[in-house]
Amino acid sequence: MITNRYLPTTVLLGTLLLLPAMQSAVAEESAEIDAVMEGFDDEAGTVDNVLDGFDEDAEGSNDLNGVLDGFGNDDSAAGGNTARSAAPPVKPKRLQLSGAAVLGTAYNFAHDEPQAGEPDYHGFSRLRAKLGLGLKIRIAKGWMGVIKGHAFHDFIYEINGRDDYSDEVLEHYESEAEFDEVFLRGKLTPNFDIKLGRQIVVWGKSDNLRVTDLLNPMDQRQMGQTDIEYLRLPVNMTRLDYYLGSWNLSGYLLHESRMDKRPTVGSDYYPFPMPMPQEDVPDNNGADEYAVALNGNFSGWDLSLYGAHLYRDQPHTEMVPAVGMRLRHAETDMVGGAINIALGNWLLKGEAAHFDGMRYSSLPGEDKRRSDLLLGVEYSGFQDTSLSLELVDRYSHDYDPLMAGDGIKENMYETAVRYTGNFMHDTLEVTLLGTAFGEAGDGGGFTRLSAKYDLRDALELTVGVINYYEGESIPFNAIADNDRLFAQLKQSF
């Protein structure tokens, strides 16, 4: 196990400097393709990636691409006089079914041998089979429905012995079956859309760190093993969209208060020495959480402004009269914005958010304010290569030293560095991601290296390694020995 907390970051930065040169030496010249993608959903990651990330140990690919195409606005047409040469339009199918079957495994190489009666997280810790299905229904002109769901079973618990695991671990990690996105979307007028049901809404511009992307909770059960875009959990809501020129105004009314899926007692990612108090999840009656977004898309840049009233995903402990200590979720107000600016091969990113109503276990009954700022840059000037850097500062106003009991500092820094490269005629994709928490990485972090190879059409193999390094912040002060190799075989259909 790596004990030097700065070594993973040093290795990551050194490797990032070498990879573009290595890639240029083996890559062949390829023509640059300008892709024009038109779809019914205006937000990336909401419809087309539903079946991605079936195994949290590896990054997924877009299983519903193509399947969900052709459900855009029926009255849209290409410009210019192309009637004589264009082929007759193909009428989209009324029903389209797609899915993926995944077999994934993981090998923990840093855990010690377990003591008698303790969970066995040494060696092989996963043998999970997972199936995901998505059905798209064309109802009428301008109207569509989507039903998506997944189920998995992890055989490693039977192999290692179920009696050595807590009931909570078996309940949350051994098997799962649930509906994911289930919604109806349609046009009320040429400029006015409605979307009803369980859905995912992506706010912000960052790919690796969250500042304004708050409407959907996350699956945090195994930190760092999958990208954010595959971890969002759908929420039941009503969404209204109004389009006017380059602007889009969206309103959201959330009918479900769904919180993050967090590591449970007894899992190798649970960071506390004892069970937490019972959690009180808010009973949302359909008016407790709401949000609004204004998005503008222009030549070379885009801008988004946000406002929301939401329950905070991160709970705090609170003494409830006649009940005892409970985990509670504070009601918070957020205002913020995000911007992208394209300058040649460079993409500049920015996000900012201000929160009122933050509560902490160490300050019962007190509301606090916090301001988050993200700055990022992405470079794509190397052939088949993308490099990005993102920095976040979370500043707590009116800081009280007692907040240190919640692991809170006046300034909380986060850093993410990412490399993505494509080789062998785009059949091999290599990704290297490193994150660090704290001003000098003293809060801990992780590095993840993965390679995804297309064995043949619709069949891909992903292998990789993730290394955690210890820090003073939760959860890295407790999960530094969770380093592991992972692999998955994925068949899409």
Side-chain angles (χ1 to χ4, degrees):
M1 182 176 65
I2 297 176
T3 56
N4 188 335
R5 68 189 181 195
Y6 302 106
L7 182 57
T9 303
T10 304
V11 173
L12 174 65
L13 293 175
T15 307
L16 286 176
L17 294 176
L18 293 175
L19 278 172
M22 295 168 57
Q23 183 171 355
S24 297
V26 300
E28 297 183 2
E29 291 294 330
S30 62
E32 182 177 350
I33 300 175
D34 294 327
V36 178
M37 301 181 63
E38 296 181 355
F40 198 88
D41 243 8
D42 53 85
E43 291 173 315
T46 59
V47 170
D48 291 338
N49 69 4
V50 151
L51 299 182
D52 290 345
F54 277 119
D55 195 275
E56 288 82 0
D57 286 340
E59 297 174 71
S61 66
N62 218 335
D63 296 302
L64 287 186
N65 279 341
V67 173
L68 298 187
D69 291 344
F71 279 82
N73 298 337
D74 293 308
D75 53 357
S76 63
N81 186 8
T82 60
R84 294 182 180 179
S85 58
V90 178
K91 185 176 181 179
K93 296 179 180 178
R94 185 164 296 277
L95 296 177
Q96 293 182 338
L97 177 67
S98 183
V102 178
L103 180 64
T105 187
Y107 183 87
N108 299 13
F109 57 83
H111 273 284
D112 296 328
E113 292 281 357
Q115 301 295 323
E118 291 184 347
D120 185 4
Y121 292 114
H122 175 267
F124 284 100
S125 61
R126 169 174 291 186
L127 185 59
R128 175 181 289 182
K130 190 167 186 178
L131 175 67
L133 295 173
L135 177 64
K136 189 166 185 180
I137 308 167
R138 181 182 177 87
I139 300 171
K141 183 177 180 180
W143 287 85
M144 59 171 279
V146 170
I147 303 173
K148 303 172 186 176
H150 74 271
F152 71 71
H153 182 78
D154 198 332
F155 297 94
I156 202 67
Y157 298 100
E158 288 143 337
I159 295 172
N160 290 340
R162 299 178 79 254
D163 292 340
D164 289 338
Y165 298 92
S166 67
D167 292 339
E168 291 85 359
V169 168
L170 295 176
E171 179 183 355
H172 291 92
Y173 292 88
E174 184 179 31
S175 298
E176 182 176 273
E178 63 182 43
F179 285 104
D180 297 317
E181 288 190 273
V182 180
F183 61 81
L184 171 69
R185 181 170 184 175
K187 300 188 72 64
L188 299 177
T189 72
N191 295 331
F192 195 26
D193 292 357
I194 186 170
K195 189 174 181 181
L196 304 167
R198 248 191 180 193
Q199 50 193 286
I200 291 175
V201 176
V202 181
W203 278 7
K205 312 302 180 183
S206 170
D207 297 319
N208 307 297
L209 302 174
R210 302 183 83 197
V211 170
T212 60
D213 183 27
L214 300 174
L215 289 194
N216 291 89
M218 304 286 286
D219 188 342
Q220 304 276 21
R221 288 177 290 184
Q222 294 175 314
M223 174 174 283
Q225 294 192 33
T226 309
D227 286 344
I228 287 177
E229 63 178 302
Y230 308 120
L231 298 178
R232 294 184 182 94
L233 301 174
V235 172
N236 186 25
M237 67 178 79
T238 297
R239 172 177 175 174
L240 298 172
D241 286 284
Y242 181 75
Y243 300 90
L244 182 63
S246 299
W247 294 95
N248 162 218
L249 178 64
S250 301
Y252 312 87
L253 186 61
L254 282 66
H255 311 297
E256 177 184 16
S257 292
R258 192 178 188 189
M259 301 303 165
D260 290 346
K261 290 184 177 181
R262 299 185 298 276
T264 191
V265 176
S267 80
D268 53 346
Y269 282 87
Y270 186 75
F272 305 109
M274 61 187 67
M276 295 295 288
Q278 180 178 326
E279 182 177 7
D280 291 339
V281 177
D283 184 13
N284 193 339
N285 61 11
D288 293 343
E289 296 183 280
Y290 44 87
V292 64
L294 179 64
N295 302 290
N297 292 288
F298 311 97
S299 177
W301 66 288
D302 56 76
L303 174 69
S304 297
L305 301 175
Y306 308 117
H309 179 83
L310 304 169
Y311 287 105
R312 189 184 178 207
D313 285 322
Q314 181 65 38
H316 63 279
T317 57
E318 186 175 314
M319 184 62 69
V320 180
V323 176
M325 192 67 71
R326 288 289 189 269
L327 290 178
R328 306 295 296 273
H329 296 269
E331 292 188 61
T332 60
D333 293 306
M334 184 273 274
V335 293
I339 189 170
N340 268 347
I341 302 175
L343 299 173
N345 292 322
W346 296 89
L347 179 64
L348 307 182
K349 306 178 182 181
E351 293 187 38
H354 178 79
F355 301 88
D356 283 326
M358 307 285 284
R359 291 204 171 187
Y360 301 98
S361 304
S362 54
L363 298 172
E366 291 191 32
D367 289 337
K368 289 291 185 178
R369 297 175 297 124
R370 194 184 78 196
S371 296
D372 295 356
L373 176 65
L374 177 146
L375 297 176
V377 59
E378 182 175 333
Y379 180 71
S380 57
F382 299 113
Q383 181 179 343
D384 299 324
T385 301
S386 175
L387 297 170
S388 67
L389 170 66
E390 295 176 354
L391 306 171
V392 169
D393 178 19
R394 306 185 192 276
Y395 173 71
S396 294
H397 299 267
D398 302 321
Y399 181 76
D400 190 317
L402 291 176
M403 294 164 61
D406 291 80
I408 304 299
K409 296 182 178 180
E410 187 172 17
N411 288 280
M412 304 280 288
Y413 298 101
E414 300 175 18
T415 304
V417 183
R418 186 184 189 93
Y419 160 87
T420 302
N422 290 286
F423 302 84
M424 301 171 61
H425 305 286
D426 291 332
T427 61
L428 175 64
E429 180 181 274
V430 176
T431 301
L432 181 60
L433 172 66
T435 66
F437 294 79
E439 188 172 5
D442 53 348
F446 68 87
T447 56
R448 186 184 75 229
L449 174 65
S450 64
K452 181 175 62 179
Y453 180 67
D454 294 332
L455 298 173
R456 55 180 173 80
D457 288 345
L459 179 64
E460 64 184 36
L461 173 67
T462 303
V463 297
V465 59
I466 185 168
N467 167 251
Y468 300 90
Y469 58 99
E470 189 173 2
E472 59 187 32
S473 66
I474 298 172
F476 299 104
N477 57 353
I479 67 170
D481 58 353
N482 280 355
D483 306 339
R484 64 194 65 199
L485 303 169
F486 58 84
Q488 78 167 24
L489 190 64
K490 181 177 181 180
Q491 175 68 59
S492 303
F493 54 87

